[in-house]
Amino acid sequence: MNYQASHIKQRATKTEVEERRAALYGIVSAMKPMTVRQVFYQATVAGIVEKSEAGYNKVQTDLVQMRKAGTLRYDWLADNTRWQRKPRTFDSVEQALLDTASLYRKSLWADADCYVEIWLEKDALAGVIYPVIDQFDVPLMVARGYASLSFLHSAAEYINDLDVPAYIYHLGDFDPSGVNAAEKIEQTLRELAPDAEIHFERLAVTPAQIARWSLPTRPTKTTDTRSKNFGDISVELDAIPPDRLRRLVQSAIERHLPKRQFAILKAAEASERDIIMRLVGSIVEDAP
C-alpha cells in the first residue's frame, strides 16, 4: 500500500479502542465475508481510522484480537491466499453414497445460449465473491494480476471449443498495472482462441464507479512504467464494498441467466437431489 505516513503519536485509550472495535464489528457483520483490506477501506470511509499505514495496522490488529477473543467469527473474514490440499475420504460406502447425493448439483448452463466466466485479479477476494459464483454455477478464474501464459492457454482451449459465445467479466484494480493486465488477458485469449466469439468486459474498477460511489483513492505509483498518461489517482478493487461487489457480479451473471430461469433450474435440482437420496437410501437398506 502507498499511504501517507501518519503523524498521530497519541496512544488510544481503552474506551477508544473498544469503540473502534465495535464499529469494525458493525462493518464486518453487515458486509461479510470480506477481506481485511476491505474492512480498512470501509473504516476510512466511515472515519473510524485514518487512510494511512498506521490506520491499516490498527484495523489489522483489531481484527486479529477480536477473533482471538471470540468476539468476531473467523469465517467472516475471507483469505484465499492460503489453502490446503487433502484427498477426500469416507468412513464407509454408505457415507460416500449419501455425501455424493447431498452434493448433487445440476448444470445450470447446460442448455444456455452462452458461456460466462468471472476473472479476478486478486486471489484474496475470491472468498468474497465465491458465494455468488457458487450459487450461479459460474467458473471463477483467479489471475493474480498478469495471468501466466499456461493459465491463459488452458482457458483459451476450453473457450475455443465452445459452440456458444463466451462472456468474460474482469475485476481488478484501477491502476496502470490492473488495467493493463485486463487488456493483456483479453488480447491473449483472442489470440489463443481465434475461432471463439469472445465478449470481454472490465466489470470493475471503472472511472464511472469511482465517481458514482466516491471510492477511496490513492496516488498512482510513478514507479510503474505504465503510469504515463494514466492519471494521478488509482483505486484498489478492495475499495468497493463487498456487498456491492457481489451485487455487481450477480447482476452481470443474471444478464445471461434470468432469475425466473434460475429459479426453475434450482427447483429441478432440488427435485433430482431428492430422487437420488431416495435411491441411495433404498440401496443402503438392501445392502447385506
Side-chain angles (χ1 to χ4, degrees):
M1 290 179 294
N2 225 355
Y3 305 119
Q4 308 244 345
S6 174
H7 300 292
I8 300 174
K9 301 295 183 182
Q10 291 179 321
R11 192 178 185 87
T13 65
K14 182 179 179 181
T15 299
E16 288 171 338
V17 171
E18 289 175 349
E19 290 176 349
R20 187 175 69 229
R21 292 180 180 179
L24 293 176
Y25 180 90
I27 289 174
V28 181
S29 64
M31 301 185 187
K32 62 186 184 295
M34 59 195 307
T35 65
V36 173
R37 188 168 297 191
Q38 284 182 316
V39 179
F40 164 68
Y41 273 116
Q42 296 312 304
T44 63
V45 170
I48 299 167
V49 297
E50 63 274 22
K51 194 171 73 171
S52 66
E53 192 70 38
Y56 180 84
N57 289 338
K58 287 177 186 176
V59 171
Q60 188 176 47
T61 299
D62 284 344
L63 294 177
V64 167
Q65 296 303 320
M66 290 164 70
R67 281 175 286 176
K68 286 184 174 180
T71 57
L72 184 70
R73 288 180 50 166
Y74 280 86
D75 60 348
W76 284 6
L77 293 176
D79 182 4
N80 276 65
T81 61
R82 299 165 181 83
W83 47 279
Q84 176 195 64
R85 286 189 179 96
K86 183 181 182 299
R88 189 167 188 182
T89 57
F90 304 93
D91 294 334
S92 65
V93 173
E94 178 182 352
Q95 182 197 354
L97 289 172
L98 290 172
D99 278 12
T100 301
S102 65
L103 293 172
Y104 170 74
R105 292 287 301 274
K106 186 177 182 67
S107 176
L108 302 183
W109 300 85
D111 299 320
D113 58 1
C114 66
Y115 172 75
V116 177
E117 281 182 351
I118 303 297
W119 283 64
L120 182 64
E121 178 182 349
K122 298 181 173 182
D123 53 3
L125 288 169
V128 173
I129 65 171
Y130 185 76
V132 178
I133 300 301
D134 180 62
Q135 179 186 12
F136 285 92
D137 186 26
V138 171
L140 175 62
M141 314 293 280
V142 180
R144 295 186 178 182
Y146 286 89
S148 71
L149 185 59
S150 295
F151 186 63
L152 288 166
H153 180 265
S154 177
E157 272 195 320
Y158 185 85
I159 291 171
N160 205 45
D161 289 339
L162 294 172
D163 296 324
V164 294
Y167 289 83
I168 297 172
Y169 296 98
H170 184 272
L171 302 153
D173 292 344
F174 180 76
D175 61 16
S177 294
V179 172
N180 185 245
E183 293 170 347
K184 289 295 183 184
I185 289 172
E186 178 181 7
Q187 177 187 336
T188 308
L189 286 177
R190 292 189 186 281
E191 290 173 354
L192 296 176
D195 299 327
E197 180 183 337
I198 298 175
H199 301 267
F200 191 98
E201 180 181 334
R202 183 172 169 79
L203 196 60
V205 178
T206 67
Q209 292 165 352
I210 296 170
R212 185 166 66 250
W213 298 335
S214 300
L215 298 177
T217 64
R218 60 172 172 78
T220 299
K221 295 179 181 178
T222 56
T223 53
D224 193 324
T225 57
R226 293 165 291 268
S227 63
K228 185 179 180 181
N229 300 323
F230 181 82
D232 297 331
I233 64 167
S234 294
V235 174
E236 292 188 82
L237 182 60
D238 312 69
I240 297 179
D243 48 354
R244 179 167 281 165
L245 191 62
R246 285 187 285 269
R247 286 198 301 271
L248 197 63
V249 173
Q250 180 170 336
S251 177
I253 295 171
E254 286 180 342
R255 298 177 199 173
H256 311 286
L257 189 67
K259 286 183 178 180
R260 177 171 172 74
Q261 182 183 352
F262 174 72
I264 292 172
L265 289 170
K266 294 302 284 186
E269 176 188 286
S271 176
E272 290 168 4
R273 183 184 295 112
D274 184 59
I275 292 171
I276 296 171
M277 291 292 286
R278 289 202 301 270
L279 286 172
V280 172
S282 64
I283 291 171
V284 171
E285 287 177 3
D286 294 340

